[in-house]
Amino acid sequence: MRVRKVFWLVVLLVLLFFARPLWEEKASEYVDVSFLESIDEMIEQVAGNPSITKAVDQAKEFTADIGGQLQTFVGQSSAEMPEQVDKPELEGTESLVAIHNITLGMSKEEAQTIVGLPLRLMRNEYGTDWHSYHQDYQNYMLLSYNDKGQVNGMFTNQDLISSTKGITMASDREAVRAAFGKPLKSLQKGNVQYILDTRNEYDMFKVNHLYITVFYDIHEENTVTAIQVIDEKLEAKRPDIYAEPDKELKEGYEFLLFELTNSARIQRELPLLKWDETARGTGRKHSQDMAENDYFSHTNLAGQSPFDRMGDDGITFFVAGENLAYGQYNSIFAHEGLMNSAGHRENIVKRDFGYLGIGVAYNSENQPYYTENFFNR
């Protein structure tokens, strides 16, 4: 019995050790993997102990047998295109809109049997978290859950939409309005009526208990580029048009804008960008400067350009660029607005870029300022 326990312990250690090249780089984006050094030392000690050499050899054979399966699970390098997954069908559901066959009210357990486990949680303006699901940004979608574990919010900017109204990513603004009716011109929050400054780049509809926001790509004949569906009870929890900022919300906005950027890139068969923490710091300082001093410009009050500020923070690059956004309700609206601006869109889809850091800050009215710093070294 003791030998069997030792064997399986060795299997786990050796599996972790030999599979390390497959997942270490991806995991290092999210957690500190320095703890693996002690595991490396343990593996070396185990391998040098004659009393369990046989167990080590058996463990190596075991890990070799499942190596191909592990490679499939971990996925390809972030710089490579993952395999395209077919769009699911609605499968007879009576719901008005489904995203990847998921509808509002579905349980978390049922939803995650379809999409798997989330890769990141990001605080949103509703006080819940966006759970991010994708395969190297293919089939990208966000889900929010209520305190009963039911889906109360959904978003996607990829071809995962099913609708009893026949709306798809190929639909244009006129078709969407014909399906969902007249879009809202304002949104009531408490005693304040907020006018929606859509600029014809998106429509928000109230259909039964749903708030449906449809975003359009003005560079592609106003076809649908993204859709968000929010339960009215969740929308009611947002007391103002702008959320009260805190550390979690700031980080949630930053990482969400990063994910949306990569989701846009993968659809255009472009290499994925890597997160850069130093560039986030550069972006945060510029966003904070603009928010505190009430200006909006790539050149700060000291006359520094984005390249000056990045250089001052020790970022070396052979190509770099910066996107700014201000006043949007959240990162989804900010990203869609940037994609509808030719110059900003060019940065988002520029093949030469390899890294991105995003910094968010808020002014006294809780309006977010976004600074995206793109570069490659």
Side-chain angles (χ1 to χ4, degrees), residues 197-210:
D197 184 18
T198 67
R199 303 178 186 179
N200 280 327
E201 295 182 2
Y202 71 90
D203 284 327
M204 182 181 292
F205 304 91
K206 178 68 186 305
V207 185
N208 299 327
H209 66 285
L210 306 179

Side-chain angles (χ1 to χ4, degrees), residues 41 85 108 151 294:
E41 295 175 359
V85 180
K108 184 176 183 179
V151 177
D294 193 24

Side-chain angles (χ1 to χ4, degrees), residues 87-113:
K87 172 187 174 183
E89 298 299 328
L90 196 54
E91 294 184 356
T93 177
E94 296 300 320
S95 297
L96 187 64
V97 176
I99 298 178
H100 211 320
N101 241 10
I102 294 171
T103 58
L104 292 192
M106 183 178 287
S107 71
K108 184 176 183 179
E109 291 75 16
E110 188 177 358
Q112 291 189 165
T113 60

Side-chain angles (χ1 to χ4, degrees), residues 90 96 161-171 175 179-180:
L90 196 54
L96 187 64
I161 304 169
S162 300
S163 171
T164 55
K165 295 288 188 177
I167 298 303
T168 69
M169 297 295 278
S171 303
F180 295 137

Side-chain angles (χ1 to χ4, degrees), residues 111-175:
Q112 291 189 165
T113 60
I114 300 172
V115 294
L117 297 176
L119 299 183
R120 181 183 275 130
L121 273 61
M122 298 164 286
R123 183 57 48 88
N124 60 36
E125 68 273 24
Y126 300 105
T128 64
D129 291 325
W130 281 126
H131 293 60
S132 171
Y133 303 91
H134 58 89
Q135 300 89 39
D136 270 352
Y137 294 97
Q138 291 279 18
N139 289 340
Y140 183 83
M141 68 177 299
L142 303 171
L143 295 178
S144 167
Y145 302 98
N146 62 21
D147 55 7
K148 295 180 180 179
Q150 298 169 316
V151 177
N152 61 0
M154 309 185 297
F155 169 86
T156 188
N157 60 354
Q158 296 190 6
D159 189 15
L160 301 173
I161 304 169
S162 300
S163 171
T164 55
K165 295 288 188 177
I167 298 303
T168 69
M169 297 295 278
S171 303
D172 60 17
R173 184 192 297 121
E174 288 70 25

Side-chain angles (χ1 to χ4, degrees), residues 340-353:
N340 276 330
S341 169
H344 297 101
R345 185 188 187 102
E346 183 179 350
N347 279 338
I348 292 171
V349 300
K350 190 177 184 68
R351 181 176 292 274
D352 293 342
F353 289 144

